[in-house]
Amino acid sequence: MNEPAWLQQQRKTAQQTFDRLPLPTRRDLDWQRFDIRKLNLDKLTGNQPSVDVKLSAATGTGVIFCDMATALAKHPGILQEYLGQLIAPDEAHKFNALNTARWNTGALLYVPAGVRVELPVEILYTLTGETGSPRTLVIIEPGAEATVVQKFIGGTGAINLHAAGTEVFVKDGGRLHYISYQDFNPNVYDFTLKRARAGKDAEIDWVIGMFGASFQRYDIECEMAGEGGTSFMYGVCFAENQQQFGQFTKQHHHAGNTVSDLLFKNVLRDSAVTNFTGLIKVEKNANGTNAYQSNKNLVLSNKVKCDTRPILEIESNKLRCTHGATVGRLDEDQLFYLRARGLPEEQARHILLEAFLEPVLARIKVPAVYKEFSELIHRKVSR
Amino acid sequence: MVQSKGVMEWVDGNLGSKRTVKYPSCYLIGDGAHGEVLSLASADKGMWQDAGAKMVFMAPNCTARINSKSISGHGGRASYRGLVQVRGEAPNCRVQVNCDALILDAKSRSDTYPVMETDGDLVTVEHEASVSNVSDEQLFYLTSRGIKKEEAVSMIVNGFIEPIVKELPMEFAVEINRLINLQMEGSVG
């Protein structure tokens, strides 16, 4: 593929960033609990990323929905304008840089002003080789509306490296419902970054599902750039066996009268490890901000390790900002209540587990995906 | 170090100095030990109060509570930095953390950096924090009753820290209230 000069430049810078940065170790604050020593980067980055992309059809006048190769050939202008705006190639984040340097597939969704895409737009990425680096770009023009369902699966069974990047722009008055989940095979090491910018009165509604893979570091960030914007981030994670999950969220309020809400629910069992680090940052002039953040963890085994770090950095003085974090077991009283009504203990536990995750699932507005989430969770619960 | 069934209670007030970095800690090393930190910080002009608490659970059946209140005004910066660490050998532990922050003006800043690390399932950790300003409704309520704005702000701030001051011996409570009032002088929300 003969790529335009601006993209070649981005990739070059990103490759330099990737080469310059060392692999994170347990000495780094964010990585204390994680073990990624199984990743042999030299070996893995030797081969071409290989991800199979499957897209549903999209309806609506002027809507562009295609894979990245087509986008490069037919809509280079859009890519040049947006690509790399939110994920800078020189940002000191090793695996984001890897994605920028190496992506060779992905998807572009462009919804022109005022257009409402009725049916959910579906993106299915299947990891077919040892490494994968898909890049997703979503642009919702003013007053437009869309629902995106993004699913990651696959993995060869050997140690795999997957680095995904997503940039999202929702402009003034636009609305986006974004559901993204992964159910990778074991031994996939996944590094995912999702970054969004919400304009004036725009709304972004995320639901994130973390189920598969051996290791996943999930960075999800939303920049509230325009007055009156809203961001909802909901995440559900079912960590079992030796799975490791890192969730790094950021609600960045640049403009006033913006609202953000976050709820991440994790279930940990066996020897699972999770680390939630959530930041709410409110800039000086973002008066009238209302921000909330909640991380709830259910621990089911004595070998799990569960960290939570909800962080606030506030520079505005006209706002309301709260957060909460809990780590706990299943409530004995609730368990007793159900058992006293004749339910066997195991079934009562399953009901409570599923009920714990339900508030996140209830945010999914696509019935088929809701069903898939609950079936996935049900399978894991009643393993 | 808190031994079996021991109780340690820190009351920590940080009202002055340019830069404060202080984290009273309890290492709960005996069965059933209890640790408690009451922390009060007020960051005025040119100050950065970086205060908080550490609770390290190293024995079973321990409990702890951290209660932190901070006020930042006149361009001061108040940060809560806390650590709650529950080691695997410390089952049936329970800890509750509350931190509230009040920001008085647009030049000031407030941060919360709690870290909670837990091993195993026999643990209950709860953390709650909020940051808010003196609301216009509260001010209006008081000023419309003939109270001067400055005094009203002072009353609201005093109400905000009341739960901590209440726990203090009377002499300290009086002192803290006076100190806070002194800092509030000239601050208009």
Side-chain angles (χ1 to χ4, degrees), chain B residues 33-108:
Chain B
H34 177 73
E36 197 155 330
V37 174
L38 294 175
S39 173
L40 180 65
S42 173
D44 206 25
K45 190 178 173 190
M47 294 183 194
W48 183 1
Q49 303 287 8
D50 200 314
K54 286 186 195 176
M55 288 290 171
V56 181
F57 290 80
M58 300 163 83
N61 307 314
C62 293
T63 51
R65 195 161 71 106
I66 299 171
N67 204 340
S68 157
K69 297 248 182 194
S70 75
I71 304 156
S72 32
H74 297 124
R77 174 174 178 187
S79 307
Y80 168 83
R81 204 178 293 273
L83 171 70
V84 168
Q85 196 173 52
V86 185
R87 296 278 164 81
E89 64 270 22
N92 294 318
C93 288
R94 186 174 276 273
V95 54
Q96 197 179 10
V97 183
N98 279 309
C99 17
D100 297 314
L102 197 60
I103 302 192
L104 296 179
D105 55 55
K107 289 176 294 186
S108 307

Side-chain angles (χ1 to χ4, degrees), chain A residues 84-364:
Chain A
Q85 246 197 60
L86 297 179
I87 305 179
D90 56 353
E91 193 183 315
H93 192 314
K94 194 170 175 72
F95 294 97
N96 299 350
L98 180 71
N99 175 268
T100 303
R102 292 172 58 89
W103 67 263
N104 58 358
T105 182
L108 163 72
L109 173 66
Y110 176 87
V111 186
V115 174
R116 183 159 178 254
V117 183
E118 295 283 342
L119 288 173
V121 164
E122 287 169 35
I123 306 169
L124 175 67
Y125 290 134
T126 312
L127 179 59
T128 50
E130 302 248 290
T131 65
S133 291
R135 183 68 166 252
T136 315
L137 180 61
V138 176
I139 300 140
I140 308 291
E141 290 285 4
E145 212 177 315
T147 299
V148 175
V149 179
Q150 185 186 34
K151 185 179 178 185
F152 297 88
I153 54 169
T156 60
I159 303 287
N160 292 163
L161 170 64
H162 189 265
T166 301
E167 286 172 286
V168 174
F169 299 83
V170 182
K171 306 224 180 133
D172 300 359
R175 290 163 76 92
L176 175 66
H177 181 32
Y178 201 122
I179 308 164
S180 177
Y181 59 116
Q182 62 88 354
D183 191 17
F184 281 119
N185 293 341
N187 283 330
V188 173
Y189 284 67
D190 180 39
F191 300 82
T192 290
L193 170 69
K194 287 193 166 51
R195 229 177 237 159
R197 181 180 290 157
K200 192 167 171 283
D201 298 320
E203 187 186 308
I204 303 183
D205 188 353
W206 305 87
V207 180
I208 307 296
M210 288 154 271
F211 302 109
S214 283
F215 169 91
Q216 185 174 38
R217 177 183 163 122
Y218 215 117
D219 285 82
I220 175 164
E221 303 178 1
C222 189
E223 186 186 312
M224 314 302 293
E227 288 256 335
T230 311
S231 152
F232 298 103
M233 280 181 199
Y234 287 79
V236 50
C237 171
F238 203 111
E240 54 186 359
N241 304 323
Q242 271 92 45
Q243 281 184 309
Q244 311 176 63
F245 288 95
Q247 301 150 347
F248 296 80
T249 69
K250 188 167 173 187
Q251 296 149 267
H252 200 159
H253 292 259
H254 286 278
N257 300 316
T258 44
V259 176
S260 72
D261 187 13
L262 178 148
L263 173 65
F264 268 66
K265 290 207 150 193
N266 301 332
V267 172
L268 292 84
R269 74 171 172 207
D270 306 326
S271 307
V273 179
T274 66
N275 178 348
F276 170 87
T277 302
L279 170 65
I280 297 180
K281 192 163 173 58
V282 182
E283 296 291 342
K284 257 197 168 31
N285 298 314
N287 286 335
T289 291
N290 190 347
Y292 187 68
Q293 180 192 53
S294 173
N295 171 231
K296 296 197 184 313
N297 299 282
L298 198 54
V299 284
L300 302 177
S301 133
N302 62 2
K303 289 205 263 327
V304 301
K305 291 181 167 54
C306 174
D307 293 359
T308 170
R309 298 177 191 164
I311 302 169
L312 308 178
E313 286 185 358
I314 315 291
E315 292 195 58
S316 148
N317 74 319
K318 296 232 180 318
L319 82 165
R320 174 101 194 119
C321 183
T322 51
H323 68 185
T326 58
V327 181
R329 278 166 280 171
L330 280 180
D331 186 0
E332 291 294 330
D333 294 339
Q334 291 175 359
L335 203 57
F336 176 79
Y337 179 90
L338 290 178
R339 289 182 63 195
R341 267 142 197 83
L343 284 174
E345 181 172 348
E346 204 178 290
Q347 200 185 342
R349 277 181 193 281
H350 295 172
I351 290 175
L352 289 177
L353 273 181
E354 286 173 47
F356 172 76
L357 298 174
E358 179 61 24
V360 175
L361 267 59
R363 302 293 306 193
I364 301 173

